[in-house]
Amino acid sequence: GESVGLHLPTLSVQEGDNSIINCAYSNSASDYFIWYKQESGKGPQFIIDIRSNMDKRQGQRVTVLLNKTVKHLSLQIAATQPGDSAVYFCAEGEANSKLTFGKGITLSVRP
Amino acid sequence: GAGVSQSPRYKVAKRGQDVALRCDPISGHVSLFWYQQALGQGPEFLTYFQNEAQLDKSGLPSDRFFAERPEGSVSTLKIQRTQQEDSAVYLCASSSRGIGGNTIYFGEGSWLTVV
């Protein structure tokens, strides 16, 4: 699989490969982190979340890793499928406060 | 309802016109958020309600923007004297608790174009 930081807006992967999408967050006080997937013309769809007292959480085909030391969040997608093609956003928040979204990365899956 | 519902889905407004965007959150959800998303950008926070109380409106870009949730359920975002820079997707989201609590679910958005 490939990895990309937020300064590279597009990630292209081969169908079946693993994808890694990275995100650097800015607020050291953030204690809640979420990954959203947004398809064209639709609202953001929740993928997976993680709280600051954890460093890894797994879902179905997805894993989120949190490194609070360097304020880095990543989303790993196993066996990427064409239906995974979308824009992915990381978001961070504090208790009783707003979510702040990153700029987003486009994931393009090659058949 | 099954999800967050927003209406209208698409709105074309003439510059200077007032618009009202409606959000029906998931039934029983205490928290409601409004976000603005410009083309090619991530959502930007506008305002947050817990029940009928507007706890944070720091993201509203000007006094032309006003949001309400009088009975702690349905919310309306009103934009007065619309301008071209108001063209964006307006997203509503809800959760059963506040940030750091339960999952925040988004609606499909209201697409506003000001001409």
Side-chain angles (χ1 to χ4, degrees), chain A residues 1-33:
Chain A
E2 299 174 59
S3 65
V4 65
L6 280 179
H7 60 285
L8 297 175
T10 302
L11 172 63
S12 180
V13 299
Q14 189 71 38
E15 181 179 356
D17 284 355
N18 297 332
S19 302
I20 301 174
I21 303 172
N22 296 307
C23 175
Y25 65 92
S26 56
N27 186 356
S28 57
S30 292
D31 54 15
Y32 183 54
F33 305 88

Side-chain angles (χ1 to χ4, degrees), chain A residues 32 34 36 91-93 97-101, chain B residues 35 45 99 104 106:
Chain A
Y32 183 54
I34 313 175
Y36 284 95
E92 59 177 302
S97 184
K98 61 182 182 280
L99 276 180
T100 300
F101 282 77
Chain B
Y35 281 79
F45 172 80
I99 298 288
I104 298 165
F106 280 82

Side-chain angles (χ1 to χ4, degrees), chain A residues 31-32 34 36 38 40-46 49 51 89 92-104, chain B residues 9-10 33 35 37 40-43 45 48 50 56 58 91 98-109 111:
Chain A
D31 54 15
Y32 183 54
I34 313 175
Y36 284 95
Q38 189 172 29
S40 181
K42 296 187 176 181
Q45 177 188 353
F46 172 86
D49 61 1
R51 303 191 194 289
F89 292 98
E92 59 177 302
E94 301 176 55
N96 300 316
S97 184
K98 61 182 182 280
L99 276 180
T100 300
F101 282 77
K103 293 190 186 303
Chain B
R9 283 280 282 133
Y10 303 96
F33 308 84
Y35 281 79
Q37 186 174 24
Q41 302 294 318
F45 172 80
Y48 160 53
Q50 192 164 80
D56 187 344
S58 62
L91 294 163
I99 298 288
N102 287 12
T103 303
I104 298 165
Y105 296 95
F106 280 82
E108 300 287 52
W111 296 63

Side-chain angles (χ1 to χ4, degrees), chain B residues 82-99:
Chain B
T82 52
Q83 300 178 6
Q84 283 191 317
E85 60 262 31
D86 299 334
S87 296
V89 180
Y90 291 86
L91 294 163
C92 179
S94 71
S95 74
S96 58
R97 288 193 287 169
I99 298 288

